Amino acid sequence: MRRFKEQFVENGDDALVLNGRFLHLRCATHILNLIVKEGLLEADNNISAIRNGICFVRSSTPRMNSFEKRVESRRLQRGSLPLDVETRWNSTYLMLEQALKFKVGFEKMAAEDKPYNDYFNETIQGTKRIGPPSKADWEAVNRLVQFLIIFYSATLVLSASTSACSHKLYHAIVTVQRNISALSNTPGPDAILRSKAASMLGKLGKYWDPFGEHKEMNKLVIVAGVFDPSKKMKVTTKLFEKLYGVGGVRVTQLTTEIEDIVRSLFDEYNNNVKKRRDAAAGGSSTQAQGNSSQFQEQPGEEVSQNTVLGNGLAYESMNDIYNELVQESGFQEKTDELDLYLKENVETRNLTAGS
């Protein structure tokens, strides 16, 4: 990225937005993938035991029928127990989520079905097949699924390929962090769950901590949400409060920093537009201005308020009245398009279009 900046800036002073300060943005779904895969590695044997159980049940119609007798649905199909693609963690999540619904059926198979148990006594390349799923396997997978559903929901939002999703990224980040944080801090009997949640929260902070010292978060992730008319700064500030507490120093610091970035982007864009307009105007306007300069209507100043009209009557200007009103009611300063955008109410978003 450093080399790219050095070479790209040779195209001109305005080649990079804000001098390339926010040019490098890590892929959000890749970050989610890294975190989730690390979690899957920790439960690899637990997942393998359940995956092998599903493989057995799906391998033939008699085995499927034998399993169906031990579950309550009586409407079991091969699709009811999906098998994952091991290189795609979201498919592993869907497999485990569905398998948990049939936990009792697998437990009955282990207690009653000899072919099922024989299957797990077989060896593959000298190693006994992992399984059948034990109580510890089910507990570990159930704990894992509670994490994966959070990341899976975020991935659905951020992997959209037919609609823009950059403005949804920070919202998804806050959702993930809030839920993981709740799991890590909420008292309960499952201490392992809290410990794993705290570990995942630390991994998230490695990439998405706006106050990080080593791998600082690219704050354009947040700015993109400000440009969403249904969020603007109002909702964005609320998201800060959800993470750092109402009235917190970090909320104030982050709000000010994001507003400064938005203002810098707007000012740079305005300056570039003005330069292009001036360049387009060129010499033709210069000549026209030279020929008509003496006749141009210049913005004039009204007669001084100290001017006496007669009979001791002073000249009264509407500007005087305006100045009095400003002093009495405190009119706001002149605003530009960005100020108007940020001060307007947020728009009602289409709830069917995703978060």
Side-chain angles (χ1 to χ4, degrees):
M1 293 302 297
R2 178 179 55 79
R3 291 177 181 175
F4 175 81
K5 288 182 184 179
E6 291 173 354
Q7 295 179 19
F8 198 74
V9 76
E10 294 179 4
N11 293 322
D13 295 336
D14 59 348
L16 296 174
V17 175
L18 298 183
N19 296 318
R21 178 182 166 194
F22 302 103
L23 184 62
H24 187 193
L25 177 65
R26 295 177 179 87
C27 175
T29 51
H30 182 58
I31 291 173
L32 291 177
N33 194 49
L34 290 175
I35 296 171
V36 170
K37 281 194 170 183
E38 189 170 333
L40 290 176
L41 285 176
E42 295 174 0
D44 187 52
N45 286 342
N46 309 116
I47 297 170
S48 295
I50 293 174
R51 182 186 292 116
N52 289 338
I54 295 174
C55 286
F56 174 86
V57 172
R58 286 169 53 98
S59 61
S60 69
T61 301
R63 290 178 175 180
M64 180 70 76
N65 292 337
S66 177
F67 183 78
E68 187 176 11
K69 292 176 182 178
R70 293 170 172 84
V71 298
E72 298 178 357
S73 69
R74 297 294 178 183
R75 295 187 298 274
L76 191 67
Q77 300 175 354
R78 285 174 62 85
S80 301
L81 283 173
L83 198 59
D84 68 330
V85 178
E86 295 186 37
T87 55
R88 297 182 60 191
W89 72 264
N90 52 340
S91 70
T92 302
Y93 160 72
L94 294 173
M95 176 189 74
L96 296 177
E97 180 196 38
Q98 195 68 7
L100 284 167
K101 299 176 183 178
F102 298 99
K103 173 187 172 185
V104 174
F106 286 105
E107 291 175 339
K108 288 182 178 180
M109 290 285 287
E112 304 168 0
D113 193 273
K114 185 177 184 300
Y116 180 75
N117 288 284
D118 291 342
Y119 173 77
F120 288 102
N121 288 325
E122 296 174 359
T123 59
I124 303 173
Q125 297 179 347
T127 304
K128 178 182 174 296
R129 182 179 278 116
I130 298 175
S134 64
K135 180 181 178 181
D137 292 327
W138 289 111
E139 288 177 350
V141 164
N142 182 56
R143 191 178 294 120
L144 181 63
V145 165
Q146 293 181 60
F147 289 112
L148 294 185
I149 189 172
I150 298 171
F151 293 100
Y152 180 73
S153 299
T155 300
L156 289 179
V157 174
L158 302 180
S159 297
S161 58
T162 59
S163 61
C165 57
S166 59
H167 62 288
K168 302 176 183 178
L169 175 52
Y170 189 63
H171 195 210
I173 290 173
V174 174
T175 299
V176 170
Q177 290 185 325
R178 285 276 296 174
N179 283 283
I180 297 295
S181 179
L183 285 174
S184 66
N185 295 318
T186 302
D190 196 337
I192 298 177
L193 178 66
R194 292 198 302 276
S195 176
K196 286 186 176 294
S199 175
M200 281 196 169
L201 199 60
K203 293 181 179 70
L204 284 169
K206 180 180 178 181
Y207 299 100
W208 286 335
D209 181 4
F211 302 97
E213 296 179 2
H214 302 294
K215 291 187 178 181
E216 187 176 0
M217 175 184 187
N218 188 324
K219 294 186 177 66
L220 280 195
V221 165
I222 305 174
V223 170
V226 177
F227 287 132
D228 179 351
S230 68
K231 295 184 178 73
K232 301 185 180 179
M233 276 305 302
K234 293 181 176 66
V235 175
T236 302
T237 302
K238 288 291 183 184
L239 294 179
F240 297 159
E241 292 173 350
K242 289 292 184 182
L243 288 180
Y244 307 112
V246 178
V249 175
R250 286 192 162 192
V251 173
T252 303
Q253 178 182 342
L254 204 50
T255 299
T256 301
E257 188 171 354
I258 298 304
E259 288 177 344
D260 288 344
I261 294 172
V262 173
R263 170 58 62 183
S264 297
L265 288 168
F266 181 78
D267 290 344
E268 182 173 293
Y269 175 80
N270 263 353
N271 290 335
N272 288 338
V273 170
K274 184 176 184 300
K275 288 178 183 177
R276 287 194 292 269
R277 285 176 178 170
D278 292 344
S284 60
S285 61
T286 303
Q287 181 179 359
Q289 289 175 359
N291 293 337
S292 60
S293 58
Q294 58 181 329
F295 303 108
Q296 273 188 318
E297 183 178 351
Q298 301 293 336
E301 293 293 335
E302 290 194 55
V303 179
S304 169
Q305 61 179 344
N306 295 324
T307 301
V308 177
L309 296 179
N311 296 327
L313 183 65
Y315 173 81
E316 184 180 33
S317 166
M318 292 301 102
N319 284 338
D320 301 331
I321 297 175
Y322 174 81
N323 291 332
E324 291 175 7
L325 287 174
V326 170
Q327 293 174 3
E328 293 174 1
S329 58
F331 284 6
Q332 66 183 34
E333 296 181 2
K334 181 180 178 181
T335 58
D336 55 27
E337 294 164 295
L338 178 60
D339 291 322
L340 293 175
Y341 172 78
L342 294 177
K343 290 177 181 178
E344 289 173 347
N345 291 330
V346 297
E347 296 180 5
T348 302
R349 65 183 177 88
N350 183 2
L351 295 178
T352 61
S355 60

